[in-house]
Amino acid sequence: MRLVLLGPPGAGKGTQAAKLSNYLGVPRISTGDILRKHVAEGTDLGKKAQAYMDAGKLVPDDLVIAMTERRLRESDARNGFILDGFPRTIAQAEALAKLTPLDMAVNLFLEPEELIKRNTGRRVCPKCDAVYHMLMNAPKKAGVCDRCGSTLTIRADDREEVVRARIETYERQTAPLIKYYRDRGLLREVYASGLIDEIFLRTKEVLKG
Ligand code: AP5
């Protein structure tokens, strides 16, 4: 399965991609996670990307396309993948189309006010990338990762003013991909409100057809 997950910031792409990765047996490739690792390690790419990410803007296409192409060439992606957060512009979608065919693009959609709550309550594990929400998807022990025991942190771009900027960036630059994939017969829509497991069931249903 070669799958793209679309959706605004906080719709639950990462949460569902992790479950789908287990279910389908293909890797989850999150461009946000890869970029955050570059920032944490202070690589050249990380230094170039950080200011864009902190401002809620997109990292330039040429950098992200080259980074994702490298990742898709790794052997674990040969039999399929779930792309979480890529493509985010028409130029990225066209670069991806040259690289590989897709089976489907699933769009997770949700009301803007719900997106703000999800982002501002998010806690993440800096070690294993697990994602929690302090009210709606809390770890067993407050502030501690269930999976690896690390101390959870708040993402630098989850402050409310940056979340609003990320939603605005999404509307302007990424939402046009909904039509792009609909026109190519690849789009499936999933309403992303409700319990995480309910949304997973809805997503598995659309994968059948
Ligand atoms: P990225 O990391 O991709 O961020 P995003 O798209 O803004 O998406 P999020 O990770 O914020 O949300 P999500 O939809 O994955 O939701 P999640 O599952 O975490 O990108 C960050 C930045 O990197 C970008 O702003 C940009 O600068 C750069 N970048 C990345 N890719 C790029 C690209 N291709 N081109 C250019 N720049 C790029 O869930 C959110 C919260 O809600 C969590 O707390 C979770 O526990 C909770 N939650 C999830 N589902 C539910 C539910 N059903 N009920 C209650 N709570 C839920």
Side-chain angles (χ1 to χ4, degrees), residues 128-141:
C128 73
D129 295 327
V131 177
Y132 302 89
H133 189 282
M134 60 184 196
L135 302 176
M136 298 185 283
N137 179 24
K140 292 192 184 80
K141 186 173 169 205

PDB file of all heavy atoms in Angstrom, residues 128-141:
ATOM      1  N   CYS A 128      11.098   8.361  21.234  1.00  0.00           N
ATOM      2  CA  CYS A 128      10.497   7.361  20.323  1.00  0.00           C
ATOM      3  C   CYS A 128       9.377   7.950  19.460  1.00  0.00           C
ATOM      4  O   CYS A 128       8.715   7.202  18.736  1.00  0.00           O
ATOM      5  CB  CYS A 128       9.993   6.153  21.107  1.00  0.00           C
ATOM      6  SG  CYS A 128       8.493   6.459  22.052  1.00  0.00           S
ATOM      7  N   ASP A 129       9.152   9.287  19.528  1.00  0.00           N
ATOM      8  CA  ASP A 129       8.169   9.984  18.683  1.00  0.00           C
ATOM      9  C   ASP A 129       6.713   9.631  19.004  1.00  0.00           C
ATOM     10  O   ASP A 129       5.814   9.964  18.225  1.00  0.00           O
ATOM     11  CB  ASP A 129       8.412   9.745  17.174  1.00  0.00           C
ATOM     12  CG  ASP A 129       9.727  10.334  16.696  1.00  0.00           C
ATOM     13  OD1 ASP A 129      10.137  11.382  17.242  1.00  0.00           O
ATOM     14  OD2 ASP A 129      10.352   9.745  15.790  1.00  0.00           O
ATOM     15  N   ALA A 130       6.439   8.946  20.131  1.00  0.00           N
ATOM     16  CA  ALA A 130       5.042   8.684  20.497  1.00  0.00           C
ATOM     17  C   ALA A 130       4.345  10.017  20.773  1.00  0.00           C
ATOM     18  O   ALA A 130       4.983  10.979  21.234  1.00  0.00           O
ATOM     19  CB  ALA A 130       4.979   7.791  21.733  1.00  0.00           C
ATOM     20  N   VAL A 131       3.046  10.065  20.464  1.00  0.00           N
ATOM     21  CA  VAL A 131       2.282  11.314  20.590  1.00  0.00           C
ATOM     22  C   VAL A 131       1.131  11.113  21.572  1.00  0.00           C
ATOM     23  O   VAL A 131       0.414  10.120  21.497  1.00  0.00           O
ATOM     24  CB  VAL A 131       1.710  11.737  19.209  1.00  0.00           C
ATOM     25  CG1 VAL A 131       0.851  12.977  19.336  1.00  0.00           C
ATOM     26  CG2 VAL A 131       2.849  11.994  18.232  1.00  0.00           C
ATOM     27  N   TYR A 132       0.953  12.079  22.486  1.00  0.00           N
ATOM     28  CA  TYR A 132      -0.124  12.019  23.480  1.00  0.00           C
ATOM     29  C   TYR A 132      -0.873  13.352  23.469  1.00  0.00           C
ATOM     30  O   TYR A 132      -0.424  14.331  22.864  1.00  0.00           O
ATOM     31  CB  TYR A 132       0.455  11.804  24.891  1.00  0.00           C
ATOM     32  CG  TYR A 132       1.281  10.540  25.002  1.00  0.00           C
ATOM     33  CD1 TYR A 132       2.651  10.559  24.715  1.00  0.00           C
ATOM     34  CD2 TYR A 132       0.695   9.334  25.375  1.00  0.00           C
ATOM     35  CE1 TYR A 132       3.413   9.405  24.796  1.00  0.00           C
ATOM     36  CE2 TYR A 132       1.447   8.174  25.463  1.00  0.00           C
ATOM     37  CZ  TYR A 132       2.806   8.213  25.176  1.00  0.00           C
ATOM     38  OH  TYR A 132       3.552   7.070  25.254  1.00  0.00           O
ATOM     39  N   HIS A 133      -2.009  13.361  24.171  1.00  0.00           N
ATOM     40  CA  HIS A 133      -2.701  14.622  24.435  1.00  0.00           C
ATOM     41  C   HIS A 133      -2.980  14.634  25.928  1.00  0.00           C
ATOM     42  O   HIS A 133      -3.417  13.618  26.475  1.00  0.00           O
ATOM     43  CB  HIS A 133      -4.007  14.692  23.646  1.00  0.00           C
ATOM     44  CG  HIS A 133      -4.653  16.038  23.718  1.00  0.00           C
ATOM     45  ND1 HIS A 133      -5.367  16.450  24.825  1.00  0.00           N
ATOM     46  CD2 HIS A 133      -4.661  17.072  22.858  1.00  0.00           C
ATOM     47  CE1 HIS A 133      -5.802  17.679  24.613  1.00  0.00           C
ATOM     48  NE2 HIS A 133      -5.386  18.085  23.428  1.00  0.00           N
ATOM     49  N   MET A 134      -2.720  15.761  26.609  1.00  0.00           N
ATOM     50  CA  MET A 134      -2.775  15.707  28.075  1.00  0.00           C
ATOM     51  C   MET A 134      -4.192  15.459  28.593  1.00  0.00           C
ATOM     52  O   MET A 134      -4.355  14.996  29.716  1.00  0.00           O
ATOM     53  CB  MET A 134      -2.141  16.938  28.703  1.00  0.00           C
ATOM     54  CG  MET A 134      -2.756  18.224  28.341  1.00  0.00           C
ATOM     55  SD  MET A 134      -1.775  19.507  29.096  1.00  0.00           S
ATOM     56  CE  MET A 134      -2.898  20.862  28.973  1.00  0.00           C
ATOM     57  N   LEU A 135      -5.248  15.734  27.796  1.00  0.00           N
ATOM     58  CA  LEU A 135      -6.608  15.437  28.233  1.00  0.00           C
ATOM     59  C   LEU A 135      -7.238  14.272  27.465  1.00  0.00           C
ATOM     60  O   LEU A 135      -7.872  13.406  28.038  1.00  0.00           O
ATOM     61  CB  LEU A 135      -7.501  16.685  28.029  1.00  0.00           C
ATOM     62  CG  LEU A 135      -7.056  17.955  28.741  1.00  0.00           C
ATOM     63  CD1 LEU A 135      -7.973  19.119  28.354  1.00  0.00           C
ATOM     64  CD2 LEU A 135      -7.062  17.749  30.249  1.00  0.00           C
ATOM     65  N   MET A 136      -7.023  14.262  26.123  1.00  0.00           N
ATOM     66  CA  MET A 136      -7.800  13.345  25.285  1.00  0.00           C
ATOM     67  C   MET A 136      -7.084  12.046  24.937  1.00  0.00           C
ATOM     68  O   MET A 136      -7.689  11.131  24.398  1.00  0.00           O
ATOM     69  CB  MET A 136      -8.228  14.077  24.008  1.00  0.00           C
ATOM     70  CG  MET A 136      -9.125  15.280  24.297  1.00  0.00           C
ATOM     71  SD  MET A 136      -9.755  16.082  22.816  1.00  0.00           S
ATOM     72  CE  MET A 136      -8.345  17.016  22.247  1.00  0.00           C
ATOM     73  N   ASN A 137      -5.771  11.992  25.220  1.00  0.00           N
ATOM     74  CA  ASN A 137      -5.009  10.775  24.885  1.00  0.00           C
ATOM     75  C   ASN A 137      -3.803  10.758  25.831  1.00  0.00           C
ATOM     76  O   ASN A 137      -2.650  10.795  25.413  1.00  0.00           O
ATOM     77  CB  ASN A 137      -4.585  10.859  23.406  1.00  0.00           C
ATOM     78  CG  ASN A 137      -3.762   9.676  22.954  1.00  0.00           C
ATOM     79  OD1 ASN A 137      -3.842   8.590  23.525  1.00  0.00           O
ATOM     80  ND2 ASN A 137      -2.957   9.891  21.922  1.00  0.00           N
ATOM     81  N   ALA A 138      -4.129  10.728  27.142  1.00  0.00           N
ATOM     82  CA  ALA A 138      -3.083  10.948  28.153  1.00  0.00           C
ATOM     83  C   ALA A 138      -2.245   9.688  28.377  1.00  0.00           C
ATOM     84  O   ALA A 138      -2.759   8.567  28.266  1.00  0.00           O
ATOM     85  CB  ALA A 138      -3.741  11.362  29.466  1.00  0.00           C
ATOM     86  N   PRO A 139      -0.957   9.868  28.703  1.00  0.00           N
ATOM     87  CA  PRO A 139      -0.146   8.692  29.084  1.00  0.00           C
ATOM     88  C   PRO A 139      -0.604   8.181  30.442  1.00  0.00           C
ATOM     89  O   PRO A 139      -1.276   8.902  31.190  1.00  0.00           O
ATOM     90  CB  PRO A 139       1.272   9.273  29.164  1.00  0.00           C
ATOM     91  CG  PRO A 139       1.060  10.711  29.485  1.00  0.00           C
ATOM     92  CD  PRO A 139      -0.220  11.125  28.827  1.00  0.00           C
ATOM     93  N   LYS A 140      -0.207   6.939  30.773  1.00  0.00           N
ATOM     94  CA  LYS A 140      -0.653   6.354  32.056  1.00  0.00           C
ATOM     95  C   LYS A 140      -0.139   7.175  33.230  1.00  0.00           C
ATOM     96  O   LYS A 140      -0.843   7.450  34.189  1.00  0.00           O
ATOM     97  CB  LYS A 140      -0.171   4.902  32.162  1.00  0.00           C
ATOM     98  CG  LYS A 140      -0.870   4.004  31.162  1.00  0.00           C
ATOM     99  CD  LYS A 140      -0.621   2.534  31.468  1.00  0.00           C
ATOM    100  CE  LYS A 140      -1.238   1.648  30.405  1.00  0.00           C
ATOM    101  NZ  LYS A 140      -0.421   1.551  29.177  1.00  0.00           N
ATOM    102  N   LYS A 141       1.147   7.579  33.134  1.00  0.00           N
ATOM    103  CA  LYS A 141       1.722   8.415  34.201  1.00  0.00           C
ATOM    104  C   LYS A 141       1.974   9.805  33.600  1.00  0.00           C
ATOM    105  O   LYS A 141       2.657   9.904  32.567  1.00  0.00           O
ATOM    106  CB  LYS A 141       3.038   7.777  34.675  1.00  0.00           C
ATOM    107  CG  LYS A 141       3.638   8.463  35.870  1.00  0.00           C
ATOM    108  CD  LYS A 141       4.838   7.686  36.399  1.00  0.00           C
ATOM    109  CE  LYS A 141       5.581   8.534  37.408  1.00  0.00           C
ATOM    110  NZ  LYS A 141       6.975   8.161  37.532  1.00  0.00           N
TER     111      LYS A 141
END
